[in-house]
Amino acid sequence: MLLTRFVRPTSKPLVLRRLFSTTPLSTLWNPTSEHAALRETLRSFVAQEVEPQARTFNAQEQFNVSLFRKLANLGLLGLTVPEIEYGGTGWTEYTATAVCAVHEELSYSDPAFCLSYLAHSLLFVNNLSVNASPEQKARFLPPACDGRHIGGMCMSEPQAGTDVLGMQTKAVPDGEHHWRLTGTKLWITNGTLNGQDTGDLFLVYARTGPGKTDLTQFIVEKGMEGFRLGQKINNKLGMRASMTAELIFDQVPIPNENIVGKVHGATLCMMRNLEIERLGLAAMSVGIARRCIDEMKAYALERTAFGAKNLFAFGQIQRMVAESYAEYMAGRSYVYAVANALDLSTHGNGLDADGTKLFCAPMAKTVADRAIQVMGGNGYTGEYNVERLWRDAKLMEIGGGTNESHRKNMSRDLRKMGSTRLD
């Protein structure tokens, strides 16, 4: 099958559908025919291109750059960019649902590869699409959408992870036209692509004033004076085909035209982008869970034991398969229900963005653990996929917000509702 760039048609208006009890559940994750076509294209691409390389690149702890650039041919690197002139695909409605579909399908085979895609497409490209000026979009989005440049976002630091407002990286004015950026960022996905030097482009959050929320976004480009790779993080538990790095900023001169949004105004940009990031991570968890269920079902059907035709004869196996499916479907439904209602240009959707990830991240890890248990010793080895997926799933409980931070955020939001009843 020849895969072509998927561009959402603009001439056919979307018909909004209410989800009545007679509507099939599949309408949640494929609300339009365009979404169904996107998912079908993705599944073919994943089967032909992503699945064959997943085990090798994860074992070698290498990022498959050439495969990543092929995503541009499908229109996936500019999925959330509505303006086609900037390299976007033209999605304007149910865009978050399309985002979730891509992350679910890629993670079905290679969550690490998908994590690098998330860092580029959501943390860099989507952030620019929503917050950058027209001049910045024209300059930086086309090469990011066609794969020439691979980007990321720099928020976490050695002493500031979940406590993001405790970051120490700072930028100070240097004359009328430049700033000087100084600090260290850690756990940066796509921070390096080859282990030798930095990635191409980064949105860097830095402190620019004395106030707690006086943060500003700067675009930092590979090769800027004072910008260098600190180290590539090796021997991670999982997500090994996604490069993670420490980046050093030593008095990096940043021109004013590389400031995204307003000076001191990046906190809102950060919180708004966290919503789609967390939804994307939840969708990744859904993809991991679906693959693990497929693997444990297939194994249970083929394996004989104690004279039984297959493992489905045993109640312990029935429980693990059935509970895994029910929890997967609950998580998938939650993710796509939230995605269908999410407008990427808005903010204030944190309760359910946190909620989807809080539910789906441990769900995926639990389902992967059950898959290993069903397969016994075979599931514990690298020959089978579930041990890699189990290792990858753990990051979902840490990256993009820990389980603990989600509980804190959700409790805060629910408390603010006071006695208002839930819908």
Side-chain angles (χ1 to χ4, degrees), residues 114-160:
C114 186
L115 187 66
S116 289
Y117 170 74
L118 181 147
H120 174 86
S121 66
L122 297 186
L123 304 189
F124 183 79
V125 170
N126 182 69
N127 198 326
L128 273 185
S129 177
V130 174
N131 299 303
S133 67
E135 294 77 16
Q136 290 169 333
K137 292 180 183 181
R139 179 182 172 191
F140 293 109
L141 282 179
C145 292
D146 66 20
R148 282 175 288 163
H149 292 163
I150 298 176
M153 183 269 290
C154 300
M155 184 186 300
S156 295
E157 299 180 2
Q159 301 300 324

Side-chain angles (χ1 to χ4, degrees), residues 170-181:
K170 65 180 181 179
V172 296
D174 182 22
E176 295 183 4
H177 305 293
H178 287 81
W179 294 67
R180 290 283 178 174
L181 179 67

Side-chain angles (χ1 to χ4, degrees), residues 278-279 281-282 285 334-335 351-364 396-397 401-411:
R278 287 167 177 169
L279 199 58
L281 290 165
S285 299
Y334 190 11
V335 165
L351 176 61
D352 286 308
D354 278 285
T356 56
K357 186 168 172 292
L358 177 62
F359 182 85
C360 291
M363 178 273 293
M396 302 295 102
E397 297 185 319
T402 62
N403 290 349
E404 293 75 22
S405 70
H406 299 320
R407 295 186 183 104
K408 174 179 68 69
N409 296 341
M410 294 175 70
S411 296

Side-chain angles (χ1 to χ4, degrees), residues 56-351:
T56 298
F57 277 83
N58 276 273
Q60 295 175 352
E61 299 192 39
Q62 294 180 350
F63 175 44
N64 194 337
V65 176
S66 62
L67 178 62
F68 186 90
R69 298 193 197 281
K70 289 184 179 181
L71 297 177
N73 299 330
L74 302 179
L76 301 183
L77 298 185
L79 189 64
T80 65
V81 180
E83 302 93 347
I84 294 178
E85 64 266 30
Y86 297 142
T89 53
W91 287 86
T92 56
E93 296 180 277
Y94 292 124
T95 306
T97 307
V99 167
C100 289
V102 175
H103 285 78
E104 178 191 346
E105 296 302 332
L106 290 177
S107 293
Y108 183 86
S109 278
D110 194 346
F113 180 75
C114 186
L115 187 66
S116 289
Y117 170 74
L118 181 147
H120 174 86
S121 66
L122 297 186
L123 304 189
F124 183 79
V125 170
N126 182 69
N127 198 326
L128 273 185
S129 177
V130 174
N131 299 303
S133 67
E135 294 77 16
Q136 290 169 333
K137 292 180 183 181
R139 179 182 172 191
F140 293 109
L141 282 179
C145 292
D146 66 20
R148 282 175 288 163
H149 292 163
I150 298 176
M153 183 269 290
C154 300
M155 184 186 300
S156 295
E157 299 180 2
Q159 301 300 324
T162 299
D163 180 19
V164 64
L165 294 181
M167 69 173 62
Q168 297 300 309
T169 296
K170 65 180 181 179
V172 296
D174 182 22
E176 295 183 4
H177 305 293
H178 287 81
W179 294 67
R180 290 283 178 174
L181 179 67
T182 302
T184 300
K185 296 293 185 178
L186 191 59
W187 313 118
I188 307 306
T189 303
N190 298 342
T192 182
L193 306 179
N194 55 19
Q196 304 300 316
D197 50 21
T198 71
D200 299 320
L201 287 169
F202 298 91
L203 276 171
V204 180
Y205 288 90
R207 185 161 298 287
T208 50
K212 187 176 183 180
T213 60
D214 286 346
L215 305 178
T216 304
Q217 284 192 106
F218 297 89
I219 300 174
V220 177
E221 305 168 59
K222 180 178 181 179
M224 280 185 163
E225 178 186 351
F227 176 43
R228 62 182 174 84
L229 175 67
Q231 61 174 319
K232 173 180 175 287
I233 308 301
N234 295 306
N235 199 30
K236 296 178 296 184
L237 173 70
M239 300 293 185
R240 294 189 170 189
S242 175
M243 300 295 96
T244 309
E246 175 191 51
L247 296 178
I248 308 296
F249 306 88
D250 184 9
Q251 296 287 316
V252 180
I254 309 291
N256 286 346
E257 54 265 30
N258 280 31
I259 296 174
V260 176
K262 297 180 179 179
V263 174
H264 307 330
T267 302
L268 176 61
C269 302
M270 176 195 303
M271 297 308 172
R272 179 165 48 208
N273 215 62
L274 277 172
E275 294 176 0
I276 187 59
E277 177 190 2
R278 287 167 177 169
L279 199 58
L281 290 165
M284 288 180 63
S285 299
V286 169
I288 291 172
R290 178 160 62 88
R291 177 60 178 274
C292 288
I293 294 169
D294 283 345
E295 295 286 342
M296 78 166 94
K297 280 200 306 104
Y299 187 90
L301 282 169
E302 295 175 357
R303 180 79 174 189
T304 61
F306 300 102
K309 184 178 180 180
N310 56 55
L311 298 185
F312 277 97
F314 304 103
Q316 302 98 319
I317 304 300
Q318 294 168 10
R319 177 178 179 177
M320 286 189 279
V321 173
E323 289 184 352
S324 295
Y325 175 77
E327 292 164 11
Y328 150 73
M329 285 295 289
R332 196 183 197 202
S333 299
Y334 190 11
V335 165
Y336 284 97
V338 173
N340 287 339
L342 185 64
D343 181 346
L344 297 184
S345 66
T346 66
H347 66 280
N349 309 290
L351 176 61

